[in-house]
């Protein structure tokens, strides 16, 4: 009986932490300092997305630097867990890479265009090769860094 109560309590704790966006497993990677002025994840709306990143009318890539678009929502626990990881990655790469944040509730046309059914979803954009790649779900910093190395040669 005690084992069942422990299991139920553990599941409740996981669910509760997920709903509140509390990370149970911390991102214990040290933050890398950079002298870059471009060390923030940029929140964009639909208009800014179409003007700065990709024009969804003609599928033209507009960003000059390798970019990652984080499709998320304010109520999403895994999105909240991914956010500090992306901020650390942005700080590390500075001007070599730009990470954008798109709230799917506010930018539903962009989410529909990319057929976003699960969040978080990360869209990697290489403007030099015109290549894009979508990763769905909560991913580790190592997975993000490996994809950056493979797609962007950074």
């Amino acid at each position: 009986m005690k084992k069942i109560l422990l299991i139920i309590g553990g599941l409740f704790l996981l669910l509760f932490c997920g709903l509140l966006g509390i990370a149970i497993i911390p991102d214990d990677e040290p933050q890398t300092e950079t002298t870059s002025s471009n060390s923030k994840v940029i929140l964009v709306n639909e208009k800014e997305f179409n003007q700065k990143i990709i024009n969804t009318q003609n599928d033209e890539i507009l960003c000059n630097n390798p970019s990652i678009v984080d499709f998320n929502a304010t109520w999403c626990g895994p999105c909240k867990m991914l956010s500090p990881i992306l901020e650390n990655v942005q700080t590390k790469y500075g001007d070599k890479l730009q990470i954008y944040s798109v709230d799917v509730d506010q930018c539903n046309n962009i989410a529909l265009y990319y057929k976003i059914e699960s969040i978080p979803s990360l869209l990697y954009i290489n403007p030099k090769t015109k290549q894009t790649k979508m990763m769905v779900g909560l991913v580790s910093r190592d997975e993000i860094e490996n994809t950056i190395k493979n797609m962007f040669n950074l």
Side-chain angles (χ1 to χ4, degrees):
M1 184 68 172
K2 287 183 180 181
K3 286 183 181 180
I4 292 173
L5 288 175
L6 267 170
I7 291 171
I8 292 172
L11 290 173
F12 177 78
L13 179 64
L14 284 173
L15 177 64
F16 183 73
C17 289
L19 290 174
L20 291 179
I22 300 170
I24 295 172
I25 302 170
D27 180 27
D28 56 0
E29 301 259 345
Q31 289 191 9
T32 306
E33 291 298 319
T34 180
T35 57
S36 165
S37 61
N38 200 22
S39 60
K40 297 276 186 198
V41 173
I42 300 173
L43 177 65
V44 293
N45 59 32
E46 287 185 10
K47 181 179 178 184
E48 292 166 327
F49 184 94
N50 280 299
Q51 291 176 342
K52 295 179 181 180
I53 305 168
I54 296 178
N55 182 338
T56 57
Q57 297 297 317
N58 59 14
D59 221 22
E60 178 186 6
I61 295 175
L62 302 172
C63 56
N64 295 320
N65 287 341
S67 300
I68 301 172
V69 179
D70 171 29
F71 292 95
N72 60 70
T74 57
W75 48 264
C76 169
C79 299
K80 292 178 184 180
M81 294 169 67
L82 183 60
S83 181
I85 296 170
L86 293 174
E87 289 170 8
N88 288 340
V89 169
Q90 179 64 69
T91 299
K92 176 180 178 180
Y93 287 95
D95 288 337
K96 297 176 190 170
L97 171 76
Q98 182 57 59
I99 300 176
Y100 296 97
S101 176
V102 173
D103 185 324
V104 296
D105 292 329
Q106 302 297 317
C107 303
N108 51 7
N109 289 329
I110 302 294
L112 287 171
Y113 180 81
Y114 284 102
K115 298 176 177 81
I116 302 297
E117 295 178 359
S118 293
I119 53 174
S121 290
L122 298 177
L123 175 64
Y124 294 80
I125 306 165
N126 187 330
K128 291 181 183 172
T129 64
K130 306 295 185 203
Q131 199 176 19
T132 61
K133 178 179 181 173
M134 184 72 75
M135 292 179 76
V136 178
L138 180 60
V139 294
S140 70
R141 182 175 177 155
D142 288 340
E143 289 177 278
I144 294 168
E145 297 248 8
N146 287 335
T147 305
I148 289 170
K149 287 175 190 166
N150 292 333
M151 275 209 57
F152 307 141
N153 297 316
L154 297 178

